[in-house]
Amino acid sequence: MDNSEYLSKEKFIKETVRFSGISEDELLKKGVLKTGDFLDKNELIDRKNVARILHNYLRIVLKEKDEEDISKAYILKDLFDCRVCANHIAQVYLKGIMDAENLNGLVIFDVFGKVREDETEDYFRKIGKFIK
Amino acid sequence: MGEKNFENPDKITDLKYGFDAFKNGKALFNKKKRLPTMGWNSWNAFGSGNTEALTKAMCEKIVELGLDKIGYKYVVLDDGCYNAKRVDGHLESDPVKFPSGFQGMSDFVHSKRLKFGMYNDIGSKLCSGLEVGTCGYEETDAKDYIKWDIDYIKVDNCYNVWDNATFSNPENARFTFAPNIRSIRINKTNDSGKSVFQINLSAVEDGEITGNRAFIERDYVTGIGTFDGTGPDSTPLGELSSELVFNVNVPEDGEYDLYVTYATGSFEGAGAWLQVTVGENGEYYYDDFLSVTENQDSFKESPSIKISLKAGENRLRLMNHRRQENTLLSYAKIKENFEKINPDKDIVFSICEWGKTQPQNWGYKVGDSWRILNDITFQVGSDGDSGHASWEGAYTTSVTAQYNKAVIMDSFSGPGKGYNDPDMLMIGMDGLNETMCKTHMTMWCMMNSPLMLGMDLRNVKKDDFICSVISNEDVIALDQDPLGIQAKRIYTTKAVSPDTTYLRDNDRIDVLCKPLADGSIALSFINVSLGDRKDSVYIGTDLIKHYMSEKMADPDRFFNADKFEITDLWTKEKKISEEKGFSCNELKACDNLTIRIKPL
């Protein structure tokens, strides 16, 4: 894998700050980010953590209500692999912000997958539609 | 401190940790005979967003609502409270969320005369991904937890380095399944090296598969391991681990050479770790990896494995029970350190491996309770959001998914053993109406489940229905009855064997019966379905006698009584009955009728 095309934790946090206009410290205080996000900042960020940050931003900053019925996200075969991020993944998937992959009928979110810059831009573009 | 290097799980140095010892009923430690734990846990209310301020507010509310007086004593910090990494090898609190540290939090909780609980994980990281799992740090962590004066610990199972648990390397299945096995060869040579006995046996034609996990695939046997119980697909009853057994006849006592023709994998169903024993409770002649083959269909013969056989028939067992044994070893290591550092410190030990390794078989050896499935909800709350609960739904995330499994697990539970844990209560979260909350509470109390509240208590008022449900002392008395026996399902409108059939179709009424210490029983008629039901269900004393008499405190007094005092534990109505049976004529959707029946 050519790592250069994927975003590090640091870069994704910077993108979040740039998009939201809210400082890192404030995002941490609000609970959009967590302290672990600032460790090993050069590591590539994975999709489950992107889902968490995006969902927290929607919920906490934009006050967007969660989808109550997440059963349509049960199609994601790896949804239940993750007790702490299942709802984050379900919400960003159901709200059309992050897509899943269909591998011969097997639909997976790819929780450990990495994200590229163009994908990140697309996530924030879609999030922008939720700004009231 | 350097990074921990995890290569192989611990050796089984004592067969008390081994699979055959699971059935001997002996705990590994002097366990306290306690009743199910009651308290509040931060997870369902606040997820990873719990803070010191919120926890303090919950303590204040527990006292204000008088919940402490009726048993809710434990306040447990779940995932999301730690610093992301260890500091000089030690755990520390998240400095933003818990600025006073764990000692400060513990002191505050104790100052309210409550008990303080914490959370960790047997893996290398917590489920939230923070790199502070106990694996490799058991002694250090036990010292710190005792220093912080904890009274309770919940231990999770993410990032397990010896199994393919949540967030683990999926290839860890190589530890927990035997290779595919096609055949074996047993040979004996004399002193001059000449073969004096040889037998070749086919796995498919001559082997016997025990349990319900392994099966035949073309000319070999695969799936030699333990069924993963994290999801709701399988009954918790019966033999959930499989072995490949050969009945081997040999002419004389002695040492023989065993050769196994095998092919390794590293996925759920086929691994690379083989265990070999003969008969019951014997030593493991082999308990290690076999060398890896090209793939799971590419077979080769193992080097010689020395085994001792007796003249006549021997039961040679090829197996892999490491999924259960590795997990037991991991939990036991934490518990052993607590015992070593301060044997007098009373710490409730809550096993949270989500039913993956069938903990109903071994959990009693170390724990006070064991989760039976994955989480009851993934839609946990946060400050300002109650989170979401469901009565029914796919997978494990509903009241009924947890109930359906726990309700047939009564044989595993008891005061000297520990309790099945169908996860925390969801009362007070969005999605459950008052009727559902009452029945949820009834189910958990009848099943002797730990009663851990999971709502933001600031939203609870003394006169609201949530407070009245969680404070129903008559129902709590069932959970906390000193006899400590989980109710048995003695009737259902759906199946012939109500106590052992795993039912997932909720369109039914169940009747649960729980013996109590004063010689009474509790009967609960439960409409599991989302629709009203008009069924008339009658439970005669003969049916109660059939299922319950051996477990009752004073069966003679009960079955010879001329009349009974019957108390409805929700409406509080009392009546005297001379009938030899008890009935319920209709139940609204998700409703229950729960009565305490006292012989007069």
Side-chain angles (χ1 to χ4, degrees), chain A residues 28 34-36 39-40 48 59 66-70 74 80-87 91 111-112, chain B residues 43 78-79 84-85 94 96 119 127-128 131 154 156 159 166-167 374-375 378-379 382 388 394-395 397:
Chain A
L28 182 64
K34 60 181 189 181
T35 49
L39 294 169
D40 305 317
K48 65 179 161 57
R59 201 169 49 89
D66 273 0
E67 303 293 321
E68 237 180 54
D69 179 7
I70 62 166
Y74 291 177
F80 298 125
D81 289 351
C82 177
R83 77 182 266 255
V84 289
C85 48
N87 191 43
Q91 295 298 333
V111 292
F112 291 109
Chain B
W43 186 253
D78 207 287
D79 205 350
K85 287 200 170 182
D94 182 307
V96 176
Y119 162 95
C127 294
S128 58
E131 294 174 354
K154 169 181 171 180
D156 222 326
Y159 295 94
T166 296
F167 296 144
N374 209 334
D375 292 6
F378 290 134
Q379 293 169 277
S382 56
H388 190 76
Y395 201 57
T397 53

Side-chain angles (χ1 to χ4, degrees), chain B residues 283-325:
Chain B
E283 68 173 291
Y284 291 176
Y285 294 108
Y286 194 84
D287 183 21
D288 210 336
F289 281 124
L290 289 171
S291 66
V292 173
T293 61
E294 200 174 310
N295 59 50
Q296 70 270 18
D297 289 317
S298 168
F299 287 82
K300 71 177 183 184
E301 190 173 80
S302 71
S304 160
I305 298 168
K306 299 285 183 195
I307 58 174
S308 287
L309 299 175
K310 299 259 182 221
E313 191 166 272
N314 297 267
R315 226 169 136 71
L316 172 65
R317 298 160 61 196
L318 307 188
M319 56 199 196
N320 183 331
H321 293 297
R322 277 288 185 160
R323 169 163 279 168
Q324 293 183 301
E325 291 167 345

Side-chain angles (χ1 to χ4, degrees), chain A residues 9-112:
Chain A
K9 288 159 85 174
E10 182 175 30
K11 184 86 170 80
F12 188 82
I13 290 170
K14 280 198 173 136
E15 288 298 312
T16 309
V17 168
R18 187 184 59 76
F19 175 80
S20 65
I22 303 171
S23 70
E24 286 182 5
D25 284 351
E26 199 56 27
L27 288 170
L28 182 64
K29 209 183 283 176
K30 285 177 183 290
V32 174
L33 300 175
K34 60 181 189 181
T35 49
D37 294 330
F38 296 95
L39 294 169
D40 305 317
K41 286 161 81 167
N42 293 327
E43 275 182 6
L44 300 182
I45 193 163
D46 56 31
R47 283 170 56 83
K48 65 179 161 57
N49 282 313
V50 169
R52 169 177 55 79
I53 294 169
L54 296 179
H55 175 229
N56 281 341
Y57 179 75
L58 271 172
R59 201 169 49 89
I60 298 167
V61 178
L62 300 184
K63 308 285 181 207
E64 177 66 22
K65 279 217 168 283
D66 273 0
E67 303 293 321
E68 237 180 54
D69 179 7
I70 62 166
S71 58
K72 284 186 181 154
Y74 291 177
I75 191 173
L76 304 171
K77 290 295 170 204
D78 50 351
L79 179 69
F80 298 125
D81 289 351
C82 177
R83 77 182 266 255
V84 289
C85 48
N87 191 43
H88 299 309
I89 291 169
Q91 295 298 333
V92 294
Y93 174 70
L94 294 172
K95 288 178 187 293
I97 294 162
M98 292 181 78
D99 293 332
E101 212 173 329
N102 192 327
L103 303 168
N104 300 321
L106 189 71
V107 184
I108 62 162
F109 184 79
D110 191 12
V111 292
F112 291 109

Side-chain angles (χ1 to χ4, degrees), chain B residues 8-273:
Chain B
N8 279 332
D10 288 347
K11 296 265 182 217
I12 296 174
T13 52
D14 189 321
L15 287 175
K16 69 183 181 182
Y17 301 108
F19 176 77
D20 285 352
F22 292 176
K23 287 181 182 160
N24 68 13
K26 292 180 189 162
L28 294 173
F29 311 93
N30 290 324
K31 279 177 64 175
K32 192 173 173 185
K33 286 189 178 178
R34 61 176 95 243
L35 293 167
T37 312
M38 294 174 65
W40 176 87
N41 176 299
S42 62
W43 186 253
N44 282 358
F46 304 122
S48 296
N50 187 34
T51 64
E52 180 178 315
L54 287 169
T55 309
K56 284 181 173 176
M58 297 306 110
C59 293
E60 307 273 10
K61 273 305 265 195
I62 287 172
V63 175
E64 181 196 317
L65 295 168
L67 297 174
D68 53 332
K69 302 284 188 299
I70 54 175
Y72 296 101
K73 286 279 188 187
Y74 290 83
V75 173
V76 181
L77 307 182
D78 207 287
D79 205 350
C81 59
Y82 290 101
N83 192 41
K85 287 200 170 182
R86 288 172 181 272
V87 178
D88 297 327
H90 292 269
L91 300 166
E92 282 198 0
S93 66
D94 182 307
V96 176
K97 292 194 270 185
F98 290 87
S100 305
F102 293 134
Q103 189 65 61
M105 194 74 255
S106 175
D107 291 344
F108 182 86
V109 172
H110 288 133
S111 75
K112 298 290 172 190
R113 300 183 177 225
L114 299 170
K115 291 178 181 286
F116 181 52
M118 289 191 66
Y119 162 95
N120 209 304
D121 191 293
I122 58 170
S124 56
K125 299 182 188 182
L126 311 182
C127 294
S128 58
L130 304 187
E131 294 174 354
V132 297
T134 57
C135 189
Y137 294 92
E138 291 85 355
E139 186 173 357
T140 306
D141 291 353
K143 280 179 184 162
D144 286 338
Y145 285 128
I146 285 178
K147 184 180 76 185
W148 295 325
D149 199 15
I150 66 163
D151 305 295
Y152 174 108
I153 190 157
K154 169 181 171 180
V155 186
D156 222 326
N157 186 28
C158 290
Y159 295 94
N160 186 328
V161 292
W162 316 125
D163 197 1
N164 60 343
T166 296
F167 296 144
S168 298
N169 179 354
E171 294 190 349
N172 285 354
R174 69 190 189 279
F175 292 111
T176 52
F177 279 89
N180 295 333
I181 296 176
R182 181 189 278 165
S183 61
I184 62 167
R185 180 165 66 89
I186 297 171
N187 193 42
K188 184 170 177 59
T189 51
N190 62 16
D191 293 343
S192 57
K194 188 181 168 197
S195 177
V196 293
F197 173 83
Q198 181 158 317
I199 185 170
N200 296 299
L201 297 170
S202 149
V204 172
E205 286 171 22
D206 305 308
E208 170 200 336
I209 296 172
T210 66
N212 60 11
R213 180 62 185 83
F215 55 94
I216 292 168
E217 182 89 34
R218 298 192 295 278
D219 62 345
Y220 60 85
V221 172
T222 188
I224 303 170
T226 301
F227 197 97
D228 183 339
T230 313
D233 311 316
S234 169
T235 174
L237 305 181
E239 290 293 326
L240 295 154
S241 298
S242 284
E243 300 178 354
L244 177 61
V245 179
F246 294 92
N247 290 311
V248 180
N249 260 293
V250 295
E252 58 180 323
D253 291 6
E255 192 173 75
Y256 290 75
D257 294 300
L258 166 70
Y259 301 89
V260 180
T261 301
Y262 71 97
T264 61
S266 54
F267 53 88
E268 183 76 14
W273 189 286

